Amino acid sequence: MKKTIRYSAAALSALMTLSLFGACGSKDETGAVSYIGIDVNPSVSLLLDKNDKVVSVVAENEDAQVLLYGEASLVGMDAEDAAKKIAELSVELGYLNEDNKGVNITVEGKAGGDLTNDIQAAFQSSAQGLGLNFSTEGTFSANRKTQAVNAEYGLNLSVGKFRLIVDARAADGTLTWEAAADMDVSELLDIVAEAAETVEPYATAAYNTAKEAAACIYEAAKGQLVDSLWMLPYNTTYVAQVLTGQKVHYGAIYNLYTGASRVLHAGLNAAEAAEDAAEKMTVSDGTLDAIAAALNLTEDEKAQFIAQVTEDGKTVAALDAWLDVRFKNMTEEARRQIADKIAEVTEAVQAEADKIDASVAQEYKDAFKKLCSDLTGLIPDSIRNTAKTYLDEFSALVTDISEAADGKEPKAAAYAVKEAFDKRAASVMTDMRADLTEEDIKTVETAIEKVNSALAQAEEIYRNALEEAETQAKEYLAALKAARQNENA
């Protein structure tokens, strides 16, 4: 489980409210009223309209990306037909087999029990002879994480709403668990559906990392230079008025906010990289022994369990994956009979997850405390005495980051502040354009055009990096799919 923020200032709380309602829009935008999570592994989520037709699809993991890659879109299909396609591909690619024959179907929203039955029937017809086991209470990992979030924040989320919030938080970095828990399902569906429209089917983790790196390099090369050109009129034509306090140096204020946004973005990237690294932390041998004992594994079964988890990285994610399969493969009655053992295993895995959370929390605290120092250093001397209102506002936002670093959800707080920086930059740009003459603006825009021409090479490097990342991601997914097809031919 990834822990997230409780705001430390009223200003951030207000900003959060505005950003959420601005992002979610109305239910009519997407028409989504239901959320169906199908876990084989792969894990695929379907957003459905009132007629149970698919309006959006979310590939929740890499296996789901492989499953759907190169296939016709599921959007527009009836839910039952979409489920049948997922089932057929799961069998064809060997995801559903004698060793993995459990299917979990999680529903949130207005879809009823009949739809769950229809999806089960679609899987049964596509996987005849496997003796599938169906469950609707959520996978082991989803239940573990839901219980942890509920305990951490005093919530009462169902597994279905938990999953929906996870997707919404991935789409909106400012969204906290508490804010999301108070939202209607329709609001969360709109956030997820809007984001799903922009996600490429080849957007693997490696692709997203490469894309982000290329964008940061390009922005560093171009953004800062272009933004600085807006200081020209104030540093030349109006220097005397600025120095005597007769004119506000909007160019410097604009660069203060855009520069802060870039610094904050870099800080978030660094913190998220540290978070990814922390999630690769290996679990203890004692935890593996405790799980094997709780499940009464034979020596051979224990050896196979440890070998599989170790091969997959010996991480909490590897444990979750193994336990998801084991418990999905069992009947509902069998799971009920060992409910106390499942609880014992959940506690053992969560203890390992808590170690990761503690490590991640410290990484965020350290990163954001340094970040606050870096942001304060961005304030130019030229505006310290002539733009008090703007500086007070900027300092308050920096203070909010510092205080939020000690809260439960520093990442969401930082994203909320970055959003505030970006909005304030846009607002200052409006003020600046009103302050400058048409001739001043034309001079700056002419300079920007020259810079853009001079930086054509940087843009070409950026576009080439994106194309290379896209090519590699497509080849990677195609290769994985082909390998599974050959293996199960």
Side-chain angles (χ1 to χ4, degrees), residues 140 144 287 291 316 319-320 323 345-353:
F140 168 83
R144 175 184 69 76
T287 294
I291 291 172
V316 168
L319 273 178
D320 276 339
L323 292 163
V345 170
T346 299
E347 184 177 353
V349 178
Q350 188 57 43
E352 293 287 351

Side-chain angles (χ1 to χ4, degrees), residues 2-9 12 152-153 169 176-178 357-366 368-369 372 398-414:
K2 294 184 180 178
K3 292 186 179 175
T4 45
I5 49 192
R6 205 171 262 135
Y7 288 108
S8 58
L12 268 183
E152 178 75 15
Y153 298 99
R169 279 165 47 82
T176 64
W177 283 108
E178 290 169 314
D357 286 343
S359 174
V360 169
Q362 192 58 50
E363 288 284 355
Y364 273 103
K365 287 180 182 180
D366 293 345
F368 290 137
K369 287 186 183 299
C372 291
V398 174
T399 299
D400 285 336
I401 300 177
S402 180
E403 292 177 357
D406 291 322
K408 289 188 176 183
E409 301 190 61
K411 182 197 291 188

Side-chain angles (χ1 to χ4, degrees), residues 132-155:
L132 298 182
N133 284 319
F134 293 99
S135 55
T136 58
E137 69 269 24
T139 61
F140 168 83
S141 58
N143 273 286
R144 175 184 69 76
K145 295 171 185 177
T146 303
Q147 291 171 25
V149 168
N150 283 340
E152 178 75 15
Y153 298 99
L155 302 175

Side-chain angles (χ1 to χ4, degrees), residues 355-479:
K355 295 177 187 177
I356 295 173
D357 286 343
S359 174
V360 169
Q362 192 58 50
E363 288 284 355
Y364 273 103
K365 287 180 182 180
D366 293 345
F368 290 137
K369 287 186 183 299
K370 179 183 183 302
L371 188 64
C372 291
S373 173
D374 293 342
L375 289 173
T376 303
L378 292 173
I379 301 175
D381 292 336
S382 59
I383 64 172
R384 287 186 184 276
N385 299 319
T386 61
K388 185 177 185 303
T389 300
Y390 288 99
L391 293 183
D392 287 348
E393 178 186 62
F394 180 81
S395 297
L397 287 170
V398 174
T399 299
D400 285 336
I401 300 177
S402 180
E403 292 177 357
D406 291 322
K408 289 188 176 183
E409 301 190 61
K411 182 197 291 188
Y415 271 111
V417 174
K418 183 183 181 303
E419 185 173 294
F421 284 151
D422 292 338
K423 287 182 177 179
R424 291 305 297 138
S427 177
V428 172
M429 173 60 76
T430 299
D431 293 340
M432 180 162 52
R433 283 182 173 273
D435 180 59
L436 296 173
T437 66
E438 290 185 8
E439 184 178 350
D440 293 331
I441 294 173
K442 184 176 180 180
T443 298
V444 174
E445 290 179 341
T446 299
I448 290 174
E449 288 177 7
K450 292 180 179 178
V451 166
N452 286 338
S453 297
L455 289 174
Q457 183 178 3
E459 183 171 358
E460 183 179 0
I461 292 173
Y462 168 66
R463 295 190 182 282
N464 288 342
L466 290 185
E467 289 177 4
E468 177 64 20
E470 179 180 332
T471 298
Q472 291 182 357
K474 288 179 175 178
E475 291 177 348
Y476 175 71
L477 290 174

